[in-house]
Amino acid sequence: MASALLASSCGPGDPPPPAEGPAPDLVEKALQVPGFADFLAVDGDAVWVTNDGRVEKWSTSEKLASFAVPRPCGTMAIAEGSLWVANCKGAEIYRINLETATLEAKVATGLANAKGETNVVAGAGSVWVASDPAGKVARIDPATNAVIATIPVAPETWYLAYGFDAIWAVSSEGKLLQRIDPATNTVTGTAALGDTPGFLAAGEGAVWVQEQGDGTVAKVDPDTLAVAGRTKVGDNLKWGDIDTGGGAVWLRTTDDQTMVVIDPESGAIRARMGAAVGSGALRWTPAGVWTSAHDNQTLSWWSAPPKP
């Protein structure tokens, strides 16, 4: 299968590889969101989005709630009835009640990347965040709102994902994927990556990592940690986002279109969707896909068109 994933390369200025195979039938509904709508977390039929000095909850038609956070940054997690969001200004995690949009706790963790390119993720009964640029991941117990473990990792590890009973951590500078075992709070394996790896997702049979400098998405086997192949998307993948679900890998891009849909078996690009609208985030749901475009101040809901 690896040979099928090794898409032909393209140099600077060359057209990106075309889409092939069945494309999802999705129609975009764009909502105007003043400010800087960026990272997303799905909450049932709604979505939470980071914005200037706040996080907001939106339905597919209107804003439902808002809560002030000095500088919300990075991807958010939903666990134990709460939204967990990093505050880059205070190097801490805010815990916000999903129903009342009120503050439940602040957890002093430190943050590995003060610029905000980071992930807060939930898994194995805990909430996790990269907490120190020297190489640490903090594990929070939602029952006590306390850091119960600090896991040593490679320096400049900023990006996290949970899946296949493990935490997956990327060091962008070190070009490294690390597998953390929640049972032992230790790194149990690594995989070498390409240029400037960034956001990642675990699902659809593999761990998928944006190799931002190479314009590729790497497919990593979660058991062997072997790189099973790469899909060439464009000249680069700065900055964007990635998610999995519904039999596809969903990639938020910047230069050529809004998002790309990748077949997880063949590695082929099934669709290139939407205009190039600058950087933003993406989250898949069984009913549709959310994307943000902070430069255009929009939040978009992509769903199947109404039946005639």
Side-chain angles (χ1 to χ4, degrees), residues 122-151:
S126 300
V127 175
W128 310 73
V129 64
S131 57
D132 189 326
K136 293 179 182 178
V137 172
R139 181 176 188 173
I140 303 168
D141 182 359
T144 62
N145 296 319
V147 175
I148 57 172
T150 301
I151 297 95

Side-chain angles (χ1 to χ4, degrees), residues 189-288:
T190 62
L193 296 171
D195 186 15
T196 322
F199 289 110
L200 67 160
E204 299 297 337
V207 180
W208 307 84
V209 188
Q210 290 177 295
E211 295 172 318
Q212 298 176 109
D214 293 328
T216 53
V217 174
K219 178 182 182 179
V220 180
D221 185 293
D223 295 320
T224 66
L225 289 173
V227 176
R230 289 181 165 90
T231 297
K232 181 69 173 178
V233 178
D235 185 41
N236 67 76
L237 283 178
K238 300 178 180 179
W239 302 95
D241 199 2
I242 190 168
D243 202 4
T244 60
V249 179
W250 304 82
L251 183 67
R252 177 71 170 84
T253 56
T254 299
D255 290 345
D256 304 306
Q257 63 282 301
T258 301
M259 63 177 165
V260 165
V261 185
I262 298 172
D263 184 280
E265 292 297 326
S266 68
I269 294 174
R270 286 170 44 192
R272 293 179 179 272
M273 305 181 68
V277 288
S279 185
L282 175 149
R283 281 295 177 265
W284 174 88
T285 82

